Amino acid sequence: MKKTLLYITIPFVALIGATYILPRPAAQAINLTNISGISRTSRISSQATQANDPRIQAEIKYYLDRHNVQDEGYEVVVGYIEGKRHHIEINPHVTLRNVGTWKDYAREGTAITLDTLGRTILAFCQADTIMTAIRADAKGTYQGDFSQTGASGHGSYLAADGSYYEGHWEQDRRQGFGLEMFLADRENPRLRVGEWRKGRFMGERMRYTSERIYGIDIARYQHGKGRRPKPILWDQLRITHVGKNGSQNVRGKADYPISFVYIKSTEGTSVRNKFYVNDYAQARKHGIRTGAYHFFSTRTSGAAQAKHFIRNTLFREGDLPPVLDVEPSKSQIQQMGGPEALFRHIRVWLKEVEQWTGVKPVLYVNQMFVNNYLADQPELKRDYRVWIARYSEYKPDVRLTYWQLCPDGRVSGIQGEVDINVFNGYQSQFDEFIANETIK
């Protein structure tokens, strides 16, 4: 009877005693009943919201459309979709001496304490050491492994806005592999699966296998320098190296067929690639999906450049959508009149080429350009496919069609370094892309 009475009254006594034993918290402490209920209630509410939100469902569908079981984290995502969430159980019964910190007393079992930031921690302790715990404040709830009073090991965090993260932690920061459904911006939910470093999302670490769809882009440089151009041996083409950064992610040995090639056709309003026509013919002859790209210049108008590209480029049935390669420096953008002027000319080029070919062109940019400029052009990202150059071991954290993963790849049949690209998806997605997006 005494033991039962103690368990009934202890939450109230604990909170009163905590005001004297613990340092004053930055925010009002949460009682034991609330702590054990916060995670479950928020989790149910979050799942219900996500099940009924078409934008969240679209984000999940996008992930599943471009991944399969070979990709790191795929099973975690499937578990998340099925409603599985990380959850720990802590005995809600706590003795008075396990509230706060007592001199010469080692906490054992369930305990309540506050960290230096005033956050309430409901913990399971062994030998006065927190092993696992639930920690809550106004921003959200963490539950998982601990080191002292900091998250360390496997754990999850459910934010007040419904965002959910599950993965590895070190020193109270996300570190290592993790999954996050980010919902702070309800209009643009984001599913991020991959590697974190010191609390920052680095990106998905793509595994290179023979099931991926690889391609290259070439220009006159692939024919060498000097008076005697070096031929491309089209019947020998095979990717043998995916660059310094990508090599560590190769599963097995790099030996991949080339499924597509983009060939530089023009630049500005006067430059033509003299190898374009022959390379185009050879690529098609050898059954490689082929497309052309134009290198954008900030010295002339988008309309004039579109006409130059159209006049000197071949567009045949089955060809890949044309590409506009945009790589201006900051000073070049300013010389053109600033970002708005630049994008005005870009839109003109895209629309005129689309009108001529009947397909929407692809916009090629680098990661820095995306970070600094493309974020302010939502309609371009919405209406046009994107090809990003990012020479990193991590896949770009945006929706894209192609990823140029390195400039220092190696291809048998081509002398020197070659840009290596990978299609964002597998064979079924590539087949769908060919059926719907190529020139008719």
Side-chain angles (χ1 to χ4, degrees):
M1 180 66 182
K2 291 181 180 179
K3 191 173 184 180
T4 301
L5 182 62
L6 178 61
Y7 286 155
I8 293 174
T9 60
I10 195 62
F12 305 100
V13 175
L15 290 174
I16 295 172
T19 61
Y20 298 95
I21 300 170
L22 299 174
R24 181 174 294 275
Q28 183 177 358
I30 301 173
N31 65 41
L32 182 60
T33 305
N34 285 340
I35 291 177
S36 59
I38 273 179
S39 180
R40 181 175 180 274
T41 303
S42 300
R43 189 168 66 251
I44 294 173
S45 174
S46 175
Q47 289 180 30
T49 300
Q50 295 181 26
N52 298 324
D53 192 324
R55 291 164 296 193
I56 296 176
Q57 293 304 312
E59 178 73 357
I60 290 173
K61 182 179 182 301
Y62 177 81
Y63 177 89
L64 294 178
D65 281 347
R66 280 151 181 78
H67 292 79
N68 68 20
V69 294
Q70 297 184 68
D71 295 325
E72 184 182 24
Y74 185 84
E75 292 183 1
V76 178
V77 175
V78 172
Y80 174 83
I81 295 169
E82 293 175 347
K84 297 178 182 178
R85 302 292 186 271
H86 176 250
H87 182 61
I88 63 172
E89 297 289 344
I90 295 181
N91 189 334
H93 298 153
V94 56
T95 62
L96 181 60
R97 296 204 68 182
N98 272 353
V99 179
T101 303
W102 296 70
K103 185 178 181 180
D104 300 327
Y105 177 76
R107 292 167 298 182
E108 197 75 30
T110 305
I112 299 176
T113 187
L114 298 179
D115 65 12
T116 56
L117 298 178
R119 294 173 294 188
T120 305
I121 299 176
L122 175 63
F124 170 72
C125 297
Q126 287 184 339
D128 206 35
T129 300
I130 297 176
M131 308 302 293
T132 59
I134 300 173
R135 183 181 65 195
D137 60 17
K139 295 181 179 179
T141 303
Y142 169 86
Q143 53 181 322
D145 299 333
F146 267 74
S147 176
Q148 297 180 345
T149 58
S152 185
H154 189 78
S156 62
Y157 183 78
L158 182 62
D161 60 23
S163 298
Y164 177 80
Y165 170 85
E166 180 180 341
H168 194 76
W169 299 72
E170 286 183 15
Q171 298 178 349
D172 233 8
R173 291 190 289 189
R174 301 171 189 189
Q175 180 78 14
F177 179 81
L179 170 152
E180 180 188 51
M181 176 60 81
F182 184 73
L183 301 177
D185 180 359
R186 281 285 175 177
E187 296 299 318
N188 297 290
R190 296 177 65 194
L191 177 62
R192 303 196 287 191
V193 183
E195 195 163 324
W196 303 71
R197 189 178 299 164
K198 295 182 179 179
R200 175 189 171 196
F201 182 63
M202 302 303 295
E204 176 184 351
R205 189 185 291 275
M206 182 180 283
R207 303 297 181 190
Y208 304 117
T209 66
S210 58
E211 284 75 26
R212 297 278 183 193
I213 308 300
Y214 300 95
I216 59 175
D217 57 275
I218 60 175
R220 65 177 180 83
Y221 304 105
Q222 275 62 53
H223 292 274
K225 299 179 180 179
R227 296 181 179 180
R228 294 185 178 181
K230 297 179 174 62
I232 292 177
L233 306 179
W234 289 93
D235 57 344
Q236 298 181 19
L237 296 190
R238 197 89 178 171
I239 295 173
T240 58
H241 182 62
V242 294
K244 181 180 179 180
N245 288 331
S247 295
Q248 58 187 317
N249 295 333
V250 172
R251 184 172 294 171
K253 181 181 178 182
D255 182 21
Y256 311 131
I258 293 173
S259 299
F260 63 92
V261 57
Y262 270 96
I263 308 167
K264 181 177 180 179
S265 172
T266 55
E267 177 178 340
T269 57
S270 59
V271 178
R272 296 170 53 195
N273 174 16
K274 65 180 181 180
F275 300 102
Y276 165 72
V277 173
N278 184 64
D279 285 345
Y280 173 87
Q282 288 296 321
R284 285 182 61 98
K285 177 182 176 181
H286 287 81
I288 302 174
R289 287 288 175 176
T290 308
Y293 75 89
H294 170 83
F295 191 92
F296 188 82
S297 170
T298 56
R299 296 172 180 262
T300 54
S301 72
Q305 293 187 61
K307 291 177 182 178
H308 180 57
F309 176 68
I310 291 169
R311 190 182 303 117
N312 295 284
T313 305
L314 300 170
F315 305 105
R316 295 178 181 172
E317 183 179 350
D319 283 351
L320 297 172
V323 169
L324 178 61
D325 183 346
V326 182
E327 303 181 50
S329 65
K330 186 176 181 180
S331 61
Q332 289 173 328
I333 294 174
Q334 293 306 315
Q335 290 172 4
M336 198 170 201
E340 285 305 317
L342 170 68
F343 282 107
R344 190 163 57 248
H345 287 284
I346 287 174
R347 289 186 184 91
V348 169
W349 191 99
L350 294 171
K351 289 178 181 178
E352 292 202 10
V353 172
E354 179 181 355
Q355 186 176 4
W356 179 265
T357 62
V359 296
K360 283 186 176 294
V362 175
L363 185 62
Y364 171 97
V365 290
N366 59 40
Q367 186 71 61
M368 186 176 297
F369 188 88
V370 171
N371 298 342
N372 294 338
Y373 303 107
L374 202 59
D376 297 327
Q377 309 295 325
E379 83 287 353
L380 279 180
K381 291 196 295 182
R382 181 192 65 228
D383 297 337
Y384 293 92
R385 294 179 177 271
V386 177
W387 179 1
I388 293 182
R390 186 187 187 192
Y391 307 144
S392 164
E393 58 190 297
Y394 301 108
K395 181 180 174 182
D397 182 29
V398 294
R399 295 193 175 193
L400 72 161
T401 297
Y402 306 116
W403 170 27
Q404 187 180 94
L405 57 96
C406 78
D408 56 341
R410 293 286 180 176
V411 176
S412 59
I414 300 178
Q415 296 187 34
E417 296 179 335
V418 184
D419 296 338
I420 307 297
N421 303 275
V422 62
F423 177 78
N424 189 22
Y426 287 88
Q427 189 63 52
S428 59
Q429 291 82 32
F430 189 66
D431 291 342
E432 181 181 354
F433 176 73
I434 295 300
N436 297 327
E437 302 298 331
T438 51
I439 294 175
K440 302 298 186 286

